[in-house]
Amino acid sequence: MLATFTKAQVAAAGPHDISDALESGKIVCFPECPIDLPSAEDLDFLRQEMPKHLSSKNISFHPEADKIIGIRGSREVVERAQRLLKESNVRVQAFLKKAIPALARDWMVGTASFRPLQEKGRDLAAHASNELVHVDAGAYGATHGDGIIRFFVNVNPTEDRVWVTKGSFPELYRRYGGQAGVTPANGANGHAMEEGLLDRLRTSVTNGLSAVVPSAKFLDSSPYDRAMRRFHNYMKDTPAFQSAREGHQEFRFKPFWAWMVFTDRVSHACLSGQHAFADTFVVRLGSCRLPEMAPINILKTKPA
């Protein structure tokens, strides 16, 4: 499930080599971080100061509103954190536009986040916990069938970031879709993904509001996103699923390694690790070369 690209392999890769690995359900790993990181002084600032100023689960820069949230502190601290996240996000975008040009076409650039706390043992509700295996759902309220790519960098100078997976979405759907209540109920079209008038109206309104209030986008919804949320919640709420060994794999991302993945196509959890960047992008379904691997198309079929 891990596809590793060295610096030389990244330079030699064709326009679809990395994107095809992502679309087929691989975690793409870069042992040599392919982007320039903030200076040592700026990284120390993020590691030392952000845990003190966290006011939410993560600290996140919203480029569409040019605003940082999840942080409280002096104007100097907030502005410096925003600048560092914004600059890092620009570098990630530049790399991805070269590495996965087709997927980057018409994408939506999401948040650029810094995760300052140790993931192991965080006192979070189950649905918010990164320690429980899940697939991502409802990024920014609704994706309407588009895909979620996240690009991570472990900037802890000494500690690995430990991930686990229980497999890709097609495998999980086959094994657990019925129990989660996301399979077609009455034939192939029983669980419709088509959006109705209310869904389209809600999307239009939330898109307008989110330009002023970024959190308004979380009010958006669609039949697809509601199904994915049910699957997400089933995974996190079901101890038997969490303890199952089928498909279980563990990955250790060393200091200053980077990796990226379709987080709606690959189940994952972060068991431990502190200090990481996470940049999110919503990739249009129409930009994918392997649309049959997209969850929205898998959800339209009965499990094999």
Side-chain angles (χ1 to χ4, degrees):
M1 179 169 277
L2 198 66
T4 301
F5 285 80
T6 65
K7 187 175 182 178
Q9 289 172 321
V10 170
H16 302 298
D17 291 349
I18 295 176
S19 58
D20 283 356
L22 288 169
E23 288 194 57
S24 61
K26 298 288 199 310
I27 300 172
V28 173
C29 176
F30 306 100
E32 302 159 283
C33 185
I35 65 166
D36 291 333
L37 295 174
S39 69
E41 180 183 357
D42 284 333
L43 285 175
D44 283 342
F45 163 77
L46 291 172
R47 296 188 198 108
Q48 295 169 15
E49 294 299 322
M50 293 305 95
K52 303 175 188 177
H53 298 286
L54 185 68
S55 64
S56 185
K57 181 180 175 182
N58 301 305
I59 293 169
S60 299
F61 171 67
H62 287 257
E64 79 286 357
D66 197 30
K67 182 177 181 181
I68 193 169
I69 65 171
I71 184 174
R72 55 172 169 255
S74 68
R75 179 177 178 180
E76 180 183 4
V77 166
V78 172
E79 289 183 348
R80 185 176 180 183
Q82 175 165 324
R83 175 179 60 81
L84 292 175
L85 291 183
K86 184 176 183 177
E87 290 174 352
S88 178
N89 181 254
V90 169
R91 291 191 291 268
V92 172
Q93 287 188 56
F95 167 68
L96 295 182
K97 286 176 181 178
K98 292 181 179 179
I100 52 172
L103 294 180
R105 185 178 61 246
D106 298 327
W107 65 6
M108 185 188 83
V109 178
T111 54
S113 297
F114 185 72
R115 300 183 175 184
L117 299 185
Q118 171 60 250
E119 295 292 351
K120 185 176 182 179
R122 289 185 70 175
D123 185 20
L124 294 172
H127 291 179
S129 174
N130 291 333
E131 292 184 77
L132 297 174
V133 178
H134 62 285
V135 291
D136 283 355
Y140 309 101
T143 65
H144 304 274
D146 291 335
I148 306 166
I149 286 180
R150 286 199 161 109
F151 183 95
F152 301 89
V153 184
N154 178 15
V155 291
N156 191 304
T158 59
E159 182 183 353
D160 294 353
R161 198 166 183 90
V162 181
W163 267 34
V164 296
T165 181
K166 292 184 183 293
S168 63
F169 188 87
E171 299 163 346
L172 296 166
Y173 180 69
R174 174 177 55 81
R175 284 186 236 138
Y176 303 105
Q179 299 172 44
V182 297
T183 58
N186 300 299
N189 296 318
H191 196 89
M193 294 292 109
E194 292 76 17
E195 298 185 21
L197 178 61
L198 181 60
D199 289 307
R200 294 193 294 273
L201 178 60
R202 181 192 292 114
T203 298
S204 177
V205 171
T206 55
N207 283 345
L209 288 174
S210 64
V212 180
V213 183
S215 60
K217 65 181 65 177
F218 291 103
L219 300 173
D220 196 8
S221 182
S222 75
Y224 164 75
D225 289 286
R226 290 190 287 272
M228 289 294 286
R229 175 57 60 179
R230 282 195 295 275
F231 208 4
H232 169 279
N233 291 348
Y234 165 82
M235 293 178 184
K236 289 191 170 182
D237 292 339
T238 307
F241 169 78
Q242 294 295 326
S243 62
R245 300 300 297 178
E246 189 173 6
H248 182 96
Q249 296 183 64
E250 180 178 300
F251 307 103
R252 304 185 73 91
F253 300 107
K254 297 183 180 299
F256 304 109
W257 283 24
W259 64 104
M260 63 178 174
V261 63
F262 268 105
T263 51
D264 53 344
R265 297 192 189 193
V266 177
S267 65
H268 58 284
C270 183
L271 299 187
S272 67
Q274 183 178 11
H275 307 311
F277 289 111
D279 291 75
T280 302
F281 304 89
V282 177
V283 173
R284 305 307 177 194
L285 182 62
S287 298
C288 294
R289 279 171 32 106
L290 305 175
E292 68 277 8
M293 297 293 292
I296 189 170
N297 289 326
I298 293 169
L299 283 167
K300 295 176 181 178
T301 67
K302 289 185 177 180

